[in-house]
Amino acid sequence: MAVGVLALQGSFNEHIAALRRIGVKGVEIRKAEQLENVSSLIIPGGESTTMAKLAELHNLFPALREFVKMGKPVWGTCAGLIFLANKATGQKTGGQELVGGLDCTVHRNFFGSQIQSFEAELPVPDLAATEGGPPSFRAVFIRAPAILEVGPDVEVLASISIQTTKKVDPSSSLQSQEESGECDGKVIVAVKQGNLLATAFHPELTIDSRWHSYFMKMSSNDNEIVAASSSSVYEDEERYLYNKQPKIDLPVYE
């Protein structure tokens, strides 16, 4: 069965293109009944409040919650991470509805506004062990959330270091905390819990498809088609990236 990509708003086309690169069909999901035809689901990055309003308008939240409860694999990136979290802070007045299921607390826009977007080299030992390739992943953060707390069943896959001295204040953004010197030395940006995967960054905006291949392994069993060998895919894409594509630099977060 195909992989569904929630297509209300945000980078759903980029996810579908990334799936295509590893030989997997992605289909756009806009209605609750369409979830019956997919084996797994990606909730993409975008504007989380807008996505939530559109999901509520189309009465998608009950179907999304049921999809998660059924144990089908679901991956949330950036805004999708906020959707999957059991608790979110730093939201606009009135908050937003959440799908839930992921035992964590997420801070919306933790890293600041659009102009604070950046790239960072993340150590990803579990991803590299499973998918091959280098031990780090160059992650793109755009108005990104961060995970402040996780439950005992949540596996941390990646964290980012922040040069600071004091503890995170869940009610303020990283930008305001940096100005006052008040934030933690490390925050979590990728986790896995059972059938749920979540990343605060945007793997779909890079040529490195290892996160998509990793998610496909969550969606597969011995009788299903598994994505192409990620190590060879990564090598081919790496050559394409450096030989064919112009490099677009965002600020690098050190």
Side-chain angles (χ1 to χ4, degrees):
M1 296 180 72
V3 177
V5 183
L6 192 64
L8 300 176
Q9 188 263 348
S11 57
F12 56 90
N13 281 323
E14 288 79 1
H15 272 294
I16 291 173
L19 289 169
R20 188 182 304 121
R21 290 200 300 271
I22 61 171
V24 175
K25 181 181 179 181
V27 296
E28 297 178 7
I29 301 294
R30 294 187 176 90
K31 298 180 180 179
E33 57 266 29
Q34 292 174 314
L35 289 170
E36 298 174 4
N37 301 318
V38 296
S39 58
S40 54
L41 179 70
I42 297 174
I43 304 177
E47 212 295 314
S48 61
T49 303
T50 300
M51 289 173 63
K53 288 179 179 178
L54 290 170
E56 187 173 3
L57 178 65
H58 293 282
N59 195 31
L60 270 166
F61 277 105
L64 290 170
R65 293 189 184 108
E66 183 61 25
F67 196 91
V68 169
K69 290 178 181 177
M70 290 173 65
K72 294 186 177 182
V74 182
W75 176 18
T77 63
C78 197
L81 160 61
I82 299 171
F83 262 53
L84 290 179
N86 283 345
K87 182 180 179 182
T89 65
Q91 298 189 69
K92 295 179 181 179
T93 303
Q96 69 179 68
E97 195 168 354
L98 302 174
V99 174
L102 185 61
D103 187 11
C104 70
T105 300
V106 171
H107 190 300
R108 184 179 181 273
N109 289 354
F110 179 82
F111 293 99
S113 64
Q114 190 83 12
I115 61 172
Q116 273 79 46
S117 301
F118 63 93
E119 294 183 11
E121 289 289 338
L122 297 180
V124 286
D126 293 322
L127 182 70
T130 304
E131 304 302 324
S136 64
F137 180 87
R138 190 170 183 84
V140 178
F141 292 83
I142 301 175
R143 292 184 67 192
I147 301 167
L148 303 183
E149 298 176 345
V150 296
D153 297 326
V154 177
E155 178 184 359
V156 175
L157 300 178
S159 299
I160 186 170
S161 296
I162 302 171
Q163 294 181 359
T164 183
T165 56
K166 297 183 181 179
K167 189 176 180 180
V168 171
D169 176 3
S171 64
S172 61
S173 70
L174 175 65
Q175 181 184 10
S176 62
Q177 292 177 68
E178 283 182 326
E179 290 171 354
S180 62
E182 296 179 356
C183 51
D184 203 4
K186 183 174 287 188
V187 291
I188 301 166
V189 292
V191 295
K192 178 184 176 184
Q193 180 185 356
N195 60 309
L196 303 180
L197 176 67
T199 55
F201 45 92
H202 290 264
E204 75 280 8
L205 300 184
T206 75
I207 204 70
D208 186 342
S209 295
R210 288 182 294 166
W211 284 103
H212 288 82
S213 182
Y214 183 90
F215 179 62
M216 286 310 302
K217 287 184 172 62
M218 292 174 57
S219 310
S220 302
N221 60 41
D222 293 339
N223 298 318
E224 292 178 330
I225 297 174
V226 181
S229 170
S230 58
S231 59
S232 62
V233 168
Y234 178 83
E235 291 167 2
D236 290 342
E237 290 175 346
E238 188 180 44
R239 285 194 293 270
Y240 180 77
L241 173 64
Y242 289 105
N243 294 335
K244 300 292 185 182
Q245 291 290 322
K247 184 172 178 57
I248 302 173
D249 281 324
L250 288 174
V252 177
Y253 199 88
E254 300 291 355

